[in-house]
Amino acid sequence: MSAPMHVNAASRSDRRSAIQRSAQAYADQMQAHLKSAPFEWYHFDRFLEDPHKDVAAN
């Protein structure tokens, strides 16, 4: 398991870039995990469904 992710901004003006760096670091960690276990993606399946899909049509 990865260490907790923290957003560290040196100043208020650095917040946006600090958030972007943290989001990229999270995406990089996720990518590395998914590459190491490519068949585990199904855990995200329910989050990948189209939210506008007509449930009654199934």
Side-chain angles (χ1 to χ4, degrees):
M1 179 153 273
S2 299
M5 181 75 53
H6 297 281
V7 177
N8 299 313
S11 66
R12 290 177 75 84
S13 62
D14 188 41
R15 282 183 181 174
R16 182 178 296 262
S17 62
I19 291 169
Q20 289 173 336
R21 287 190 307 270
S22 296
Q24 185 61 57
Y26 178 80
D28 293 343
Q29 286 181 7
M30 180 69 77
Q31 180 182 32
H33 174 71
L34 292 174
K35 281 184 176 182
S36 71
F39 296 106
E40 296 297 317
W41 68 270
Y42 67 88
H43 292 292
F44 297 98
D45 189 41
R46 66 184 175 143
F47 299 107
L48 298 175
E49 291 180 3
D50 182 357
H52 305 291
K53 182 179 177 182
D54 184 8
V55 178
N58 290 331

